[in-house]
Amino acid sequence: MRSYARTVFGIDGLALDWLRSFVTDRAQYVAVGTERSEINVCNSGVPQGSILGPLCFAMYVSPISDVISCHKMRYHQYADDLQLYVAMVPSSFGDLSSVIVNCVSDVSRWFLENALLLNPNKTEAVVFGTRQRLQQIDRSHGINLAGSTVQFAEAVKLLGVILDSTLSFDRHITEISRNCCFHIRALRHIRPLLTLDAAKSIAVCLTGARLDYCNSLLYGTTQCNIDRLQKLQNSLARAVFQAPWSTSATELRKSLHWLPIKERITYKTALITFKVRRSGLPCYLHDMIDDYKPVRTLRSSHEQLLHQPMAKISFESRAFPIAAPAVWNSLFRDTRTATTVNSFKTRLKTELFSTAYCD
């Protein structure tokens, strides 16, 4: 443990002793009412609900990256949530299916050898692409996992976001609408008992957070989806001010200093781009963008622009390597040259607010 933590993660000395103390000499028991079971010592595992728990678990299963890289696949992981993915074309789907099956089989074997278990019932598989490309792929066979067949789904839920096979996010927005409508109705019922400031706080916490959660993924989505979310925000603004449905929501949103839905998506995309450029993290996003470097000295050389790749199809234009430079390069120079996150957020919101509500 000590040598692995030192060579792989650079943890040694007092920090390693802290981690060792955190996971050792722990016990557990089962309580039902006033009765308790005997206390048993935990020889493995991490405390559930702790801050260090997911980090320690990720360190423990980190060798799985070597297993996956042997199959030339990519992955993302957060605690016990592991996603494997690979790019393909319809003609190579059969060959890649065998690669995926072999990779999943090796991953499952590694988990078994290290006292862990992959649960086929909680495993999902999906193929993303345009409708035309998906029609060329036979997805009826599924993926073999630990003796069970996992069928390809039309949509999967990942960290609260519903990803459908065409990445239209129609189902995700439908789910957002259902949740927001429930809370907006509840706010309307109790609004006469609240002060204006309390109503604003509840609106932002309960419904505004749902509209903003992972909304950068909605960049380039259809205008119909944008309109559906905008109607929710308009209804929320009317609920805060106890205004009738016939009242225009534009002035209400402006008085609340709320950006419209489209500008909120732009805001989140620009903020992520700023953080990636400044910190270089996460690496998989930082490697997707490059600074604009003209072949000869131009006035734009000092504008802090990003290189803008060309999208071959409209589906591709929504990807981060293309969407991030498009949003970033459209900002004012004063906004792009901000030196801190707080100053960038202030200038960005001022710019987008003035653009959204200009006369």
Side-chain angles (χ1 to χ4, degrees), residues 338-357:
T339 57
T340 64
V341 174
N342 289 335
S343 62
F344 177 79
K345 291 166 67 174
T346 301
R347 298 178 188 180
L348 177 62
K349 184 170 183 179
T350 301
E351 176 182 342
L352 296 177
F353 192 85
S354 61
T355 303
Y357 297 106

Side-chain angles (χ1 to χ4, degrees), residues 128-176:
F128 298 110
T130 62
R131 289 183 174 86
Q132 294 77 9
R133 288 297 182 94
L134 291 176
Q135 292 176 354
Q136 304 173 20
I137 298 175
D138 181 13
R139 295 173 288 169
S140 60
H141 301 295
I143 296 292
N144 188 4
L145 173 63
S148 301
T149 300
V150 178
Q151 296 294 337
F152 288 103
E154 291 298 324
V156 295
K157 192 170 186 178
L158 177 60
L159 298 178
V161 178
I162 300 177
L163 304 174
D164 57 90
S165 57
T166 59
L167 293 180
S168 65
F169 292 99
D170 293 343
R171 296 191 184 184
H172 178 63
I173 292 177
T174 299
E175 183 68 13
I176 293 177

